[in-house]
Amino acid sequence: MKFLVLAALLAVTAFAAENEVVWTLDHTNYSEIISQHKMIVVQFYAPWCGYCQQLAPKYEEAASVLNNHDPPVILAKMDTTIPENAELASNYTINGVPSIKIFRNGGKTVHDYKGTRETEGIIAYLKKHGGPASLEIKTKEDAATFIDEKKIVVAGIFPQLSLEKIINFTALAEDLRVDYDFVHTLDAKLLPRGGLIDKPSIRLFKPFDELYADFEDFQLEAMQNFIEETSVPIMAILDDNPENQQFVNHFLHSPGDKVFLFLNFSIDLDAFKSKYYDLALSYKGKETNFLLADAETGNRALQYFGLDTDQTPLIFVLSMGGTKYVQRHVQPDNLASWLKDCKDGKLKPYLKSQPIPEFNNETVKVVVADTLDDMVFNSGKDVLLEFYRLGCRYCEEFAPVLDEIGLSFEKDPHVLIAKIDGTENDIPRDVFEVEGFPTLYLRSAMGSLSRFEGNRTKEAIIEFIQTNRGSLAFDFSISQTQTDSVKDEL
């Protein structure tokens, strides 16, 4: 009887969802609905989020069109402010809301939505991804239609039928269809470039370097590695040409060290371009990728790394391990030697840091990346360090509490209350695990590290400091009496 009641409830819930233009999912129907569909698109949102509110009418309008597409494309949404829903959403990488995911094959594969957030863009993107993962080329006209000369296209060529290889290629297309276009054919003569072949092969077309590359290993991991490596230009270019953006994205998501050269294209391009290309060519196959960027177009990237356009020509390296290196005002003839020194470990890593404060007299001290060693690791004190982000509502609410804690320990010579902007300074991620703001750590005078996990009240944090400090406890009652007296006077 209980089973029948549960089945009836699920049926009613599914019916309610399916009668909405945008289906509403929650923890009661999520798993059942996802598992029943070959493809369903889910927007994870929060009702209070302004960006979610802006997207809502566009998403709903797109859903009304896509519901009538052949085959229909289902758009759904789930409120992540409900704890049970948030727990489900935590299974996927969601860096903020709104976040749109494409679920395929009953949820066995999940892709990020990478289209625009305008109605027509949503419709066009999902129509394309609602069809077959790979399109068949039967004529030269098909090839001209399906193979865009300005994009990367992966072609499976099967002059001999091989069921295993066809199955693997189809699985690859399903898995990577969000990032690449896939086609397949029985006859290589129909394709625009490349010679004839007599056995199953993969041919990747690209609008740069050698224009195409062939590959014969149909093992999934081998095919993925081939596409990742071959789809990154020897030298990607970041400028105001939107057609170059897809190759910049491949560069950013490719494995290996990343080398950026920022120039003022109108002044420095001719002097640097050929030398930088030759340098990139010399590192081909060595897990190192190169980007040539116009400093004006790439200004936001420069700012993200704590750099500026007036420091160009500038070469910047982001290693696989996350270590950064920079050389400002570099000269064309010094590119190769500087990069070799970087690879050989001869250069000092670069840290993004705010300027060291000229005055630091408040009860809560300001730490920046350049003072982290002196003020935290080598201070010999018990240091409570808050990682915050400018504009974070929770950080703003916590700020007066932290000020009170700082005032409470103002007379304790062994305790330092401090804060660091976690977005404007490089943080040693192997030491501090900061997944949100504010985050609090206590670095004791003895070198131990403790993370605060309780309610962010003055009393709870003071008890946390006293429990985990490495120095002898100061006479806190005297300090507290002085603090209260100050408050009374104010």
Side-chain angles (χ1 to χ4, degrees):
M1 184 64 180
K2 289 182 179 180
F3 173 78
L4 292 176
V5 172
L6 178 60
L9 287 172
L10 289 174
V12 169
T13 304
F15 177 79
E18 292 172 15
N19 278 271
E20 299 172 316
V21 175
V22 175
W23 294 14
T24 299
L25 305 185
D26 62 21
H27 61 282
T28 65
N29 64 6
Y30 173 83
S31 298
E32 184 199 16
I33 290 178
I34 293 291
S35 65
Q36 290 179 353
H37 290 88
K38 186 175 180 181
M39 173 178 170
I40 184 169
V41 183
V42 181
Q43 178 202 164
F44 297 92
Y45 76 101
W48 52 260
C49 166
Y51 295 111
C52 301
Q53 294 166 6
Q54 292 174 16
L55 176 61
K58 302 171 185 177
Y59 193 71
E60 186 163 339
E61 187 177 350
S64 65
V65 173
L66 292 168
N67 280 345
N68 297 315
H69 181 60
D70 186 19
V73 179
I74 300 167
L75 272 61
K77 62 183 179 181
M78 190 161 80
D79 183 352
T80 58
T81 62
I82 298 171
E84 295 88 349
N85 294 352
E87 186 176 350
L88 286 170
S90 68
N91 293 320
Y92 315 103
T93 303
I94 296 177
N95 297 320
V97 290
S99 180
I100 302 175
K101 303 284 184 179
I102 301 173
F103 292 79
R104 297 185 186 277
N105 303 318
K108 293 178 181 176
T109 57
V110 184
H111 298 292
D112 290 327
Y113 169 84
K114 297 182 179 180
T116 71
R117 292 183 178 178
E118 299 299 324
T119 301
E120 293 303 320
I122 296 171
I123 293 170
Y125 186 91
L126 294 178
K127 273 186 177 180
K128 175 182 175 182
H129 292 284
S134 179
L135 301 172
E136 184 176 4
I137 291 177
K138 298 179 180 179
T139 65
K140 287 197 173 184
E141 288 73 21
D142 288 342
T145 301
F146 300 153
I147 298 179
D148 188 332
E149 297 290 325
K150 297 178 181 179
K151 296 176 67 177
I152 293 171
V153 180
V154 184
I157 309 170
F158 299 98
Q160 301 170 355
L161 292 181
S162 169
L163 185 59
E164 180 184 359
K165 293 179 179 180
I166 291 173
I167 290 173
N168 284 355
F169 180 79
T170 302
L172 177 76
E174 285 285 357
D175 193 40
L176 300 183
R177 63 186 294 164
V178 173
D179 300 308
Y180 304 95
D181 290 345
F182 286 83
V183 297
H184 59 275
T185 186
L186 303 179
D187 190 351
K189 288 189 298 185
L190 302 175
L191 302 177
R193 292 190 293 275
L196 297 179
I197 53 179
D198 58 5
K199 54 186 174 182
S201 301
I202 297 171
R203 180 167 293 167
L204 184 141
F205 295 97
K206 51 185 178 176
F208 52 81
D209 300 338
E210 67 274 24
L211 300 182
Y212 76 93
D214 288 345
F215 192 68
E216 296 179 357
D217 189 342
F218 277 80
Q219 296 301 310
L220 280 172
E221 185 176 354
M223 288 190 290
Q224 288 177 342
N225 292 338
F226 164 72
I227 292 173
E228 286 179 358
E229 294 168 4
T230 311
S231 63
V232 179
I234 290 173
M235 181 181 75
I237 295 178
L238 174 62
D239 56 13
D240 57 5
N241 183 353
E243 293 176 356
N244 285 332
Q245 187 59 48
Q246 60 179 311
F247 310 121
V248 173
N249 291 339
H250 289 309
F251 163 84
L252 293 173
H253 292 96
S254 61
D257 296 340
K258 294 174 177 59
V259 185
F260 304 75
L261 178 62
F262 291 93
L263 306 174
N264 182 327
F265 272 19
S266 61
I267 298 174
D268 302 315
L269 187 61
D270 290 342
F272 279 86
K273 188 174 183 179
S274 62
K275 290 183 180 293
Y276 190 60
Y277 182 86
D278 290 342
L279 178 62
L281 190 61
S282 70
Y283 278 86
K284 185 177 180 181
K286 298 179 181 179
E287 294 188 311
T288 306
N289 304 297
F290 291 76
L291 175 75
L292 178 64
D294 175 53
E296 192 63 36
T297 306
N299 186 37
R300 290 180 62 185
L302 281 168
Q303 291 177 352
Y304 176 79
F305 290 125
L307 303 166
D308 202 276
T309 54
D310 62 7
Q311 298 169 350
T312 61
L314 178 151
I315 187 168
F316 179 86
V317 171
L318 177 61
S319 75
M320 282 189 283
T323 308
K324 307 179 186 74
Y325 303 88
V326 66
Q327 177 63 53
R328 303 167 178 85
H329 306 297
V330 69
Q331 296 299 313
D333 292 336
N334 295 337
L335 292 171
S337 59
W338 182 86
L339 185 57
K340 184 179 185 303
D341 287 344
C342 178
K343 292 282 191 178
D344 291 343
K346 297 180 179 179
L347 303 181
K348 182 180 178 181
Y350 161 77
L351 288 177
K352 174 185 176 182
S353 178
Q354 290 178 299
I356 298 174
E358 186 176 352
F359 301 101
N360 208 357
N361 300 323
E362 301 296 326
T363 54
V364 177
K365 307 303 181 186
V366 175
V367 176
V368 298
D370 286 339
T371 61
L372 190 63
D373 281 345
D374 290 340
M375 293 185 67
V376 178
F377 295 116
N378 302 323
S379 69
K381 297 184 178 183
D382 298 300
V383 182
L384 180 78
L385 183 61
E386 178 210 16
F387 296 89
Y388 74 96
R389 174 175 63 81
L390 194 64
C392 163
R393 176 166 62 93
Y394 301 109
C395 301
E396 292 170 355
E397 292 173 353
F398 178 64
V401 177
L402 190 66
D403 288 339
E404 288 187 22
I405 296 168
L407 195 59
S408 297
F409 284 96
E410 189 175 23
K411 301 299 183 180
D412 189 331
H414 306 298
V415 174
L416 182 71
I417 309 300
K419 62 182 179 180
I420 183 170
D421 188 326
T423 60
E424 294 299 320
N425 297 276
D426 279 338
I427 300 169
R429 300 289 176 177
D430 57 334
V431 178
F432 300 104
E433 185 177 337
V434 180
E435 297 175 345
F437 301 104
T439 293
L440 297 169
Y441 274 94
L442 180 73
R443 177 61 153 69
S444 80
M446 304 301 292
S448 63
L449 193 67
S450 305
R451 176 171 173 156
F452 179 75
E453 301 286 3
N455 293 324
R456 291 190 289 266
T457 64
K458 172 186 171 183
E459 293 75 19
I461 295 171
I462 288 176
E463 181 181 356
F464 168 74
I465 294 171
Q466 299 288 43
T467 301
N468 294 283
R469 64 187 293 168
S471 61
L472 293 175
F474 186 66
D475 190 343
F476 190 74
S477 60
I478 297 175
S479 177
Q480 187 62 48
T481 302
Q482 292 172 338
T483 301
D484 293 340
S485 298
V486 170
K487 286 186 177 180
D488 290 340
E489 291 177 10
L490 293 176

